[in-house]
Amino acid sequence: MFDIWLPLLGGLVLLVLGGEFLVRGAVRVAERLGVSPLVIGLTLVGFGTSMPELVTSVRAALDGSPGIAYGNIVGSNIANILLIGGTAALLAPIAVSSAALRRDGGVMLGVALAFAAIVWAMPMSRGVGLVFVAALALYVYLAFRMERVSAGADHGAAYDKAAALEAVDPAVTPSPVAGPGMPQSLATAIGGLVLVVIGGGFLVDGAVALARSMAISETVIGLTIVAVGTSMPELVTSVVAAIRRQSDVAFGNIVGSNIYNILGIGGVTALIAPTEVPEQIVRFDSPAMVVASALLIAAALTGFRITRREGAALLAGYGGYVWWIWPV
């Protein structure tokens, strides 16, 4: 088991550390190139907490392990809502604005429904991947326009996702103060990318070995252990936001992460390594993701806040989900 858990846990550590260095370096490079802080936040920082999922899913798909690739995406979204959302709400009730619920919550639910319908009808082809990536680009563009028009009065989920990461790691925040030079920033970004790629390889290898040793399908391992592991950045940022009573940011971080996961990670994975999505995910886990998304919206509609009792219910729902899919 040492040969299995060492690459599994070591891969997660390298993914998280590498993702942090990659974002830090990329932010400083973008600053040197004159990119606006808002664009940096919505793109580079916004994708920061999604890097572990992205590299892991792409690597798994390239290695011929679609159960881990798409189990990671779907499982991460379910964990974001039930596990992370429930934990954050238990720490502090999550306030939700009606505008955020209608706009971003609706997009999250619509994207989950679209994914579930598409994988039911066809493989994740390059054409589907291109549509997903284009949809994410449109979403980020509209988020950029909204932030400029609202002037901070009504932030969207994409902004809150970046804000949650910046609150945990101020080093990724665009700053007017002169930072490291271009060579050092590039070296940090490239070094982070190397760590992410190596970590993703270790994680996938460890996950495949764990599935074989326990006689469990790769899909179940992807939906649970890999998904929760790669969702650790979202867990940390949402918990910190809840502890600091920035509950609106916690909600936006969860919703924004789910949108980025399906459109960005699902789209890029399909573009690089098109494949069939495993039958279990098509028939059960994708619909479960849709149900979890609807539950989050339903909980938020009750007084535009997710209470501690509702957070406990979400956590219990995650326990029930894992119990249901895990073989006995």
Side-chain angles (χ1 to χ4, degrees), residues 234-287:
E234 280 86 358
L235 176 61
V236 172
T237 52
S238 292
V239 165
V240 169
I243 292 173
R244 294 179 177 177
R245 297 298 190 268
Q246 297 172 320
S247 54
D248 54 337
V249 173
F251 179 80
N253 182 43
I254 293 167
V255 171
S257 294
N258 281 19
I259 295 170
Y260 277 62
N261 282 352
I262 293 179
L263 296 181
I265 298 171
V268 171
T269 301
L271 279 173
I272 295 175
T275 184
E276 291 269 2
V277 176
E279 192 72 11
Q280 176 184 334
I281 295 177
V282 172
R283 294 190 176 276
F284 179 74
D285 301 290
S286 291

Short mmCIF file of all heavy atoms in Angstrom, two decimals, residues 234-287:
data_model
loop_
_atom_site.label_atom_id
_atom_site.label_comp_id
_atom_site.label_asym_id
_atom_site.label_seq_id
_atom_site.Cartn_x
_atom_site.Cartn_y
_atom_site.Cartn_z
N GLU A 234 -10.53 24.49 -3.14
CA GLU A 234 -11.87 25.06 -2.96
C GLU A 234 -12.33 24.93 -1.51
O GLU A 234 -12.97 25.84 -0.97
CB GLU A 234 -12.88 24.38 -3.88
CG GLU A 234 -12.87 24.85 -5.31
CD GLU A 234 -11.84 24.10 -6.16
OE1 GLU A 234 -11.10 23.25 -5.60
OE2 GLU A 234 -11.77 24.38 -7.37
N LEU A 235 -12.00 23.79 -0.88
CA LEU A 235 -12.38 23.61 0.52
C LEU A 235 -11.71 24.66 1.40
O LEU A 235 -12.37 25.30 2.23
CB LEU A 235 -12.00 22.20 0.99
CG LEU A 235 -12.24 21.89 2.47
CD1 LEU A 235 -13.71 22.02 2.80
CD2 LEU A 235 -11.72 20.50 2.83
N VAL A 236 -10.41 24.86 1.22
CA VAL A 236 -9.68 25.83 2.03
C VAL A 236 -10.22 27.24 1.82
O VAL A 236 -10.48 27.98 2.77
CB VAL A 236 -8.17 25.77 1.71
CG1 VAL A 236 -7.43 26.90 2.40
CG2 VAL A 236 -7.59 24.43 2.13
N THR A 237 -10.39 27.63 0.55
CA THR A 237 -10.83 29.00 0.29
C THR A 237 -12.25 29.24 0.79
O THR A 237 -12.55 30.32 1.33
CB THR A 237 -10.76 29.31 -1.22
OG1 THR A 237 -11.47 28.30 -1.95
CG2 THR A 237 -9.33 29.35 -1.71
N SER A 238 -13.14 28.26 0.66
CA SER A 238 -14.51 28.44 1.14
C SER A 238 -14.57 28.47 2.66
O SER A 238 -15.33 29.25 3.25
CB SER A 238 -15.41 27.32 0.60
OG SER A 238 -15.58 27.43 -0.79
N VAL A 239 -13.78 27.62 3.31
CA VAL A 239 -13.76 27.61 4.78
C VAL A 239 -13.21 28.92 5.32
O VAL A 239 -13.76 29.50 6.27
CB VAL A 239 -12.94 26.40 5.29
CG1 VAL A 239 -12.59 26.58 6.77
CG2 VAL A 239 -13.70 25.11 5.08
N VAL A 240 -12.13 29.42 4.72
CA VAL A 240 -11.57 30.70 5.16
C VAL A 240 -12.59 31.82 4.96
O VAL A 240 -12.77 32.68 5.84
CB VAL A 240 -10.27 31.02 4.39
CG1 VAL A 240 -9.83 32.46 4.64
CG2 VAL A 240 -9.17 30.06 4.81
N ALA A 241 -13.31 31.81 3.84
CA ALA A 241 -14.33 32.83 3.59
C ALA A 241 -15.43 32.74 4.64
O ALA A 241 -15.92 33.77 5.13
CB ALA A 241 -14.91 32.67 2.19
N ALA A 242 -15.83 31.52 5.00
CA ALA A 242 -16.88 31.36 6.01
C ALA A 242 -16.41 31.83 7.38
O ALA A 242 -17.15 32.52 8.10
CB ALA A 242 -17.31 29.89 6.07
N ILE A 243 -15.17 31.49 7.75
CA ILE A 243 -14.64 31.91 9.04
C ILE A 243 -14.56 33.43 9.13
O ILE A 243 -14.82 34.03 10.18
CB ILE A 243 -13.25 31.28 9.27
CG1 ILE A 243 -13.39 29.76 9.46
CG2 ILE A 243 -12.55 31.90 10.47
CD1 ILE A 243 -12.07 29.03 9.53
N ARG A 244 -14.22 34.07 8.02
CA ARG A 244 -14.12 35.53 7.99
C ARG A 244 -15.47 36.20 7.77
O ARG A 244 -15.55 37.41 7.55
CB ARG A 244 -13.14 35.96 6.89
CG ARG A 244 -11.70 35.52 7.17
CD ARG A 244 -10.77 35.95 6.06
NE ARG A 244 -9.39 35.60 6.37
CZ ARG A 244 -8.36 35.81 5.56
NH1 ARG A 244 -8.56 36.37 4.37
NH2 ARG A 244 -7.14 35.45 5.92
N ARG A 245 -16.54 35.41 7.78
CA ARG A 245 -17.91 35.91 7.59
C ARG A 245 -18.09 36.54 6.21
O ARG A 245 -18.92 37.43 6.04
CB ARG A 245 -18.28 36.90 8.68
CG ARG A 245 -18.31 36.31 10.09
CD ARG A 245 -19.36 35.20 10.18
NE ARG A 245 -19.59 34.76 11.55
CZ ARG A 245 -18.95 33.76 12.14
NH1 ARG A 245 -18.01 33.11 11.48
NH2 ARG A 245 -19.25 33.40 13.37
N GLN A 246 -17.31 36.07 5.22
CA GLN A 246 -17.49 36.51 3.84
C GLN A 246 -18.31 35.44 3.12
O GLN A 246 -17.88 34.82 2.16
CB GLN A 246 -16.13 36.70 3.16
CG GLN A 246 -15.28 37.78 3.78
CD GLN A 246 -13.87 37.81 3.21
OE1 GLN A 246 -13.26 36.76 2.96
NE2 GLN A 246 -13.35 39.01 3.00
N SER A 247 -19.53 35.24 3.63
CA SER A 247 -20.32 34.11 3.16
C SER A 247 -20.74 34.24 1.71
O SER A 247 -20.92 33.24 1.01
CB SER A 247 -21.56 33.94 4.06
OG SER A 247 -22.29 35.15 4.11
N ASP A 248 -20.92 35.48 1.23
CA ASP A 248 -21.30 35.64 -0.17
C ASP A 248 -20.17 35.15 -1.08
O ASP A 248 -20.40 34.58 -2.15
CB ASP A 248 -21.64 37.09 -0.47
CG ASP A 248 -20.54 38.06 -0.06
OD1 ASP A 248 -19.72 37.69 0.81
OD2 ASP A 248 -20.50 39.18 -0.60
N VAL A 249 -18.92 35.38 -0.65
CA VAL A 249 -17.77 34.91 -1.42
C VAL A 249 -17.73 33.39 -1.41
O VAL A 249 -17.38 32.76 -2.43
CB VAL A 249 -16.47 35.50 -0.86
CG1 VAL A 249 -15.26 34.89 -1.54
CG2 VAL A 249 -16.46 37.02 -1.04
N ALA A 250 -18.08 32.77 -0.28
CA ALA A 250 -18.09 31.31 -0.20
C ALA A 250 -19.07 30.72 -1.21
O ALA A 250 -18.76 29.74 -1.90
CB ALA A 250 -18.44 30.87 1.22
N PHE A 251 -20.25 31.30 -1.32
CA PHE A 251 -21.24 30.81 -2.29
C PHE A 251 -20.73 31.00 -3.71
O PHE A 251 -20.80 30.08 -4.54
CB PHE A 251 -22.56 31.57 -2.10
CG PHE A 251 -23.63 31.15 -3.07
CD1 PHE A 251 -24.37 30.00 -2.88
CD2 PHE A 251 -23.91 31.92 -4.21
CE1 PHE A 251 -25.36 29.61 -3.77
CE2 PHE A 251 -24.89 31.54 -5.11
CZ PHE A 251 -25.62 30.38 -4.89
N GLY A 252 -20.21 32.17 -4.01
CA GLY A 252 -19.70 32.44 -5.35
C GLY A 252 -18.54 31.53 -5.71
O GLY A 252 -18.40 31.11 -6.87
N ASN A 253 -17.69 31.20 -4.74
CA ASN A 253 -16.55 30.32 -4.99
C ASN A 253 -17.02 28.92 -5.39
O ASN A 253 -16.49 28.32 -6.33
CB ASN A 253 -15.67 30.24 -3.74
CG ASN A 253 -14.45 29.37 -3.93
OD1 ASN A 253 -13.77 29.44 -4.96
ND2 ASN A 253 -14.15 28.54 -2.95
N ILE A 254 -18.04 28.42 -4.70
CA ILE A 254 -18.57 27.09 -5.02
C ILE A 254 -19.22 27.09 -6.40
O ILE A 254 -18.94 26.23 -7.25
CB ILE A 254 -19.58 26.65 -3.95
CG1 ILE A 254 -18.87 26.43 -2.61
CG2 ILE A 254 -20.33 25.40 -4.38
CD1 ILE A 254 -19.81 26.30 -1.43
N VAL A 255 -20.08 28.06 -6.64
CA VAL A 255 -20.79 28.12 -7.92
C VAL A 255 -19.81 28.36 -9.07
O VAL A 255 -19.88 27.69 -10.12
CB VAL A 255 -21.86 29.23 -7.88
CG1 VAL A 255 -22.45 29.46 -9.26
CG2 VAL A 255 -22.95 28.87 -6.89
N GLY A 256 -18.89 29.31 -8.89
CA GLY A 256 -17.91 29.59 -9.94
C GLY A 256 -17.03 28.39 -10.23
O GLY A 256 -16.73 28.10 -11.39
N SER A 257 -16.61 27.67 -9.20
CA SER A 257 -15.77 26.49 -9.39
C SER A 257 -16.50 25.43 -10.21
O SER A 257 -15.91 24.79 -11.09
CB SER A 257 -15.35 25.91 -8.04
OG SER A 257 -14.50 26.80 -7.35
N ASN A 258 -17.78 25.24 -9.94
CA ASN A 258 -18.54 24.23 -10.68
C ASN A 258 -18.69 24.60 -12.15
O ASN A 258 -18.63 23.73 -13.03
CB ASN A 258 -19.92 24.02 -10.04
CG ASN A 258 -19.84 23.14 -8.82
OD1 ASN A 258 -18.78 22.95 -8.23
ND2 ASN A 258 -20.97 22.60 -8.42
N ILE A 259 -18.88 25.88 -12.42
CA ILE A 259 -18.99 26.33 -13.82
C ILE A 259 -17.65 26.14 -14.53
O ILE A 259 -17.60 25.62 -15.65
CB ILE A 259 -19.44 27.81 -13.87
CG1 ILE A 259 -20.86 27.95 -13.31
CG2 ILE A 259 -19.37 28.34 -15.30
CD1 ILE A 259 -21.30 29.38 -13.11
N TYR A 260 -16.56 26.54 -13.89
CA TYR A 260 -15.23 26.38 -14.47
C TYR A 260 -14.91 24.91 -14.68
O TYR A 260 -14.29 24.54 -15.68
CB TYR A 260 -14.17 27.01 -13.56
CG TYR A 260 -13.98 28.50 -13.72
CD1 TYR A 260 -15.00 29.40 -13.47
CD2 TYR A 260 -12.74 29.02 -14.10
CE1 TYR A 260 -14.82 30.76 -13.60
CE2 TYR A 260 -12.54 30.38 -14.23
CZ TYR A 260 -13.59 31.25 -13.98
OH TYR A 260 -13.40 32.60 -14.12
N ASN A 261 -15.29 24.05 -13.73
CA ASN A 261 -14.97 22.63 -13.83
C ASN A 261 -15.59 21.99 -15.07
O ASN A 261 -14.91 21.29 -15.83
CB ASN A 261 -15.44 21.88 -12.58
CG ASN A 261 -14.53 22.09 -11.40
OD1 ASN A 261 -13.44 22.66 -11.51
ND2 ASN A 261 -14.96 21.63 -10.24
N ILE A 262 -16.88 22.22 -15.28
CA ILE A 262 -17.56 21.57 -16.40
C ILE A 262 -17.14 22.17 -17.73
O ILE A 262 -16.73 21.46 -18.66
CB ILE A 262 -19.08 21.64 -16.22
CG1 ILE A 262 -19.52 20.80 -15.03
CG2 ILE A 262 -19.78 21.16 -17.50
CD1 ILE A 262 -21.01 20.85 -14.76
N LEU A 263 -17.23 23.50 -17.83
CA LEU A 263 -16.94 24.13 -19.12
C LEU A 263 -15.44 24.16 -19.42
O LEU A 263 -15.02 23.84 -20.54
CB LEU A 263 -17.48 25.56 -19.13
CG LEU A 263 -19.01 25.70 -19.02
CD1 LEU A 263 -19.42 27.16 -19.07
CD2 LEU A 263 -19.71 24.91 -20.13
N GLY A 264 -14.62 24.53 -18.42
CA GLY A 264 -13.19 24.65 -18.65
C GLY A 264 -12.48 23.31 -18.64
O GLY A 264 -11.85 22.92 -19.62
N ILE A 265 -12.59 22.59 -17.53
CA ILE A 265 -11.86 21.32 -17.41
C ILE A 265 -12.47 20.25 -18.32
O ILE A 265 -11.76 19.54 -19.03
CB ILE A 265 -11.85 20.87 -15.95
CG1 ILE A 265 -11.12 21.90 -15.10
CG2 ILE A 265 -11.17 19.51 -15.82
CD1 ILE A 265 -11.22 21.68 -13.63
N GLY A 266 -13.80 20.17 -18.32
CA GLY A 266 -14.45 19.22 -19.22
C GLY A 266 -14.17 19.53 -20.67
O GLY A 266 -13.91 18.64 -21.48
N GLY A 267 -14.19 20.82 -21.02
CA GLY A 267 -13.94 21.21 -22.39
C GLY A 267 -12.52 20.95 -22.84
O GLY A 267 -12.28 20.39 -23.91
N VAL A 268 -11.55 21.34 -22.01
CA VAL A 268 -10.13 21.13 -22.36
C VAL A 268 -9.81 19.64 -22.42
O VAL A 268 -9.09 19.18 -23.32
CB VAL A 268 -9.21 21.85 -21.36
CG1 VAL A 268 -7.75 21.47 -21.59
CG2 VAL A 268 -9.38 23.36 -21.48
N THR A 269 -10.35 18.87 -21.48
CA THR A 269 -10.11 17.42 -21.49
C THR A 269 -10.64 16.79 -22.78
O THR A 269 -9.97 15.95 -23.40
CB THR A 269 -10.78 16.76 -20.27
OG1 THR A 269 -10.25 17.34 -19.07
CG2 THR A 269 -10.53 15.27 -20.26
N ALA A 270 -11.84 17.20 -23.20
CA ALA A 270 -12.41 16.66 -24.44
C ALA A 270 -11.60 17.10 -25.66
O ALA A 270 -11.45 16.33 -26.61
CB ALA A 270 -13.86 17.11 -24.58
N LEU A 271 -11.10 18.32 -25.65
CA LEU A 271 -10.29 18.80 -26.77
C LEU A 271 -8.99 18.01 -26.90
O LEU A 271 -8.57 17.66 -28.01
CB LEU A 271 -9.96 20.29 -26.60
CG LEU A 271 -11.03 21.30 -27.01
CD1 LEU A 271 -10.60 22.71 -26.60
CD2 LEU A 271 -11.28 21.24 -28.51
N ILE A 272 -8.35 17.72 -25.79
CA ILE A 272 -7.05 17.04 -25.82
C ILE A 272 -7.20 15.54 -25.98
O ILE A 272 -6.44 14.90 -26.73
CB ILE A 272 -6.26 17.36 -24.54
CG1 ILE A 272 -5.92 18.88 -24.50
CG2 ILE A 272 -4.97 16.54 -24.48
CD1 ILE A 272 -5.24 19.32 -23.24
N ALA A 273 -8.16 14.96 -25.28
CA ALA A 273 -8.32 13.49 -25.31
C ALA A 273 -9.80 13.14 -25.34
O ALA A 273 -10.38 12.77 -24.31
CB ALA A 273 -7.64 12.87 -24.09
N PRO A 274 -10.45 13.25 -26.51
CA PRO A 274 -11.88 12.91 -26.60
C PRO A 274 -12.11 11.44 -26.25
O PRO A 274 -11.31 10.58 -26.59
CB PRO A 274 -12.21 13.19 -28.07
CG PRO A 274 -10.90 13.16 -28.79
CD PRO A 274 -9.88 13.65 -27.81
N THR A 275 -13.20 11.19 -25.54
CA THR A 275 -13.45 9.81 -25.09
C THR A 275 -14.91 9.65 -24.69
O THR A 275 -15.64 10.63 -24.51
CB THR A 275 -12.56 9.48 -23.88
OG1 THR A 275 -12.76 8.12 -23.50
CG2 THR A 275 -12.91 10.36 -22.68
N GLU A 276 -15.33 8.40 -24.54
CA GLU A 276 -16.64 8.09 -24.00
C GLU A 276 -16.61 8.30 -22.48
O GLU A 276 -15.63 7.98 -21.82
CB GLU A 276 -16.99 6.63 -24.28
CG GLU A 276 -17.25 6.32 -25.74
CD GLU A 276 -18.69 6.47 -26.14
OE1 GLU A 276 -19.50 6.86 -25.25
OE2 GLU A 276 -19.01 6.23 -27.31
N VAL A 277 -17.69 8.84 -21.95
CA VAL A 277 -17.82 8.98 -20.51
C VAL A 277 -18.36 7.66 -19.96
O VAL A 277 -19.29 7.08 -20.53
CB VAL A 277 -18.76 10.14 -20.15
CG1 VAL A 277 -18.96 10.23 -18.64
CG2 VAL A 277 -18.19 11.46 -20.68
N PRO A 278 -17.78 7.13 -18.88
CA PRO A 278 -18.22 5.83 -18.33
C PRO A 278 -19.72 5.79 -18.05
O PRO A 278 -20.32 6.80 -17.66
CB PRO A 278 -17.41 5.70 -17.05
CG PRO A 278 -16.16 6.48 -17.32
CD PRO A 278 -16.60 7.64 -18.15
N GLU A 279 -20.29 4.60 -18.23
CA GLU A 279 -21.74 4.42 -18.10
C GLU A 279 -22.25 4.82 -16.72
O GLU A 279 -23.33 5.39 -16.59
CB GLU A 279 -22.09 2.95 -18.38
CG GLU A 279 -23.57 2.68 -18.55
CD GLU A 279 -24.13 3.21 -19.86
OE1 GLU A 279 -23.33 3.62 -20.74
OE2 GLU A 279 -25.36 3.23 -19.99
N GLN A 280 -21.49 4.52 -15.67
CA GLN A 280 -21.95 4.87 -14.32
C GLN A 280 -22.14 6.37 -14.17
O GLN A 280 -23.12 6.84 -13.58
CB GLN A 280 -20.95 4.37 -13.25
CG GLN A 280 -21.35 4.81 -11.84
CD GLN A 280 -20.36 4.42 -10.78
OE1 GLN A 280 -19.63 3.46 -10.93
NE2 GLN A 280 -20.33 5.16 -9.68
N ILE A 281 -21.19 7.14 -14.70
CA ILE A 281 -21.29 8.60 -14.60
C ILE A 281 -22.47 9.10 -15.41
O ILE A 281 -23.21 10.01 -14.98
CB ILE A 281 -19.98 9.25 -15.07
CG1 ILE A 281 -18.84 8.87 -14.12
CG2 ILE A 281 -20.13 10.76 -15.15
CD1 ILE A 281 -17.49 9.40 -14.55
N VAL A 282 -22.68 8.52 -16.59
CA VAL A 282 -23.78 8.94 -17.46
C VAL A 282 -25.12 8.68 -16.78
O VAL A 282 -26.00 9.56 -16.75
CB VAL A 282 -23.72 8.20 -18.82
CG1 VAL A 282 -24.98 8.48 -19.63
CG2 VAL A 282 -22.48 8.62 -19.59
N ARG A 283 -25.29 7.49 -16.22
CA ARG A 283 -26.60 7.08 -15.73
C ARG A 283 -26.89 7.53 -14.30
O ARG A 283 -28.05 7.71 -13.94
CB ARG A 283 -26.75 5.56 -15.81
CG ARG A 283 -26.77 5.05 -17.25
CD ARG A 283 -27.16 3.58 -17.32
NE ARG A 283 -27.27 3.13 -18.69
CZ ARG A 283 -28.36 3.28 -19.43
NH1 ARG A 283 -29.41 3.87 -18.91
NH2 ARG A 283 -28.39 2.84 -20.68
N PHE A 284 -25.86 7.69 -13.48
CA PHE A 284 -26.15 8.03 -12.07
C PHE A 284 -25.48 9.31 -11.60
O PHE A 284 -26.15 10.20 -11.06
CB PHE A 284 -25.72 6.88 -11.15
CG PHE A 284 -25.98 7.17 -9.70
CD1 PHE A 284 -27.26 7.13 -9.18
CD2 PHE A 284 -24.93 7.51 -8.84
CE1 PHE A 284 -27.50 7.43 -7.84
CE2 PHE A 284 -25.16 7.81 -7.51
CZ PHE A 284 -26.45 7.76 -7.01
N ASP A 285 -24.16 9.43 -11.78
CA ASP A 285 -23.44 10.52 -11.13
C ASP A 285 -23.71 11.89 -11.76
O ASP A 285 -23.78 12.89 -11.04
CB ASP A 285 -21.95 10.21 -11.12
CG ASP A 285 -21.65 8.91 -10.40
OD1 ASP A 285 -21.80 8.88 -9.16
OD2 ASP A 285 -21.33 7.92 -11.07
N SER A 286 -23.85 11.95 -13.08
CA SER A 286 -24.20 13.24 -13.70
C SER A 286 -25.58 13.71 -13.25
O SER A 286 -25.75 14.88 -12.89
CB SER A 286 -24.13 13.13 -15.23
OG SER A 286 -22.81 12.99 -15.66
N PRO A 287 -26.61 12.83 -13.27
CA PRO A 287 -27.89 13.26 -12.69
C PRO A 287 -27.78 13.64 -11.21
O PRO A 287 -28.45 14.57 -10.76
CB PRO A 287 -28.78 12.02 -12.88
CG PRO A 287 -28.22 11.33 -14.08
CD PRO A 287 -26.74 11.52 -13.96
#
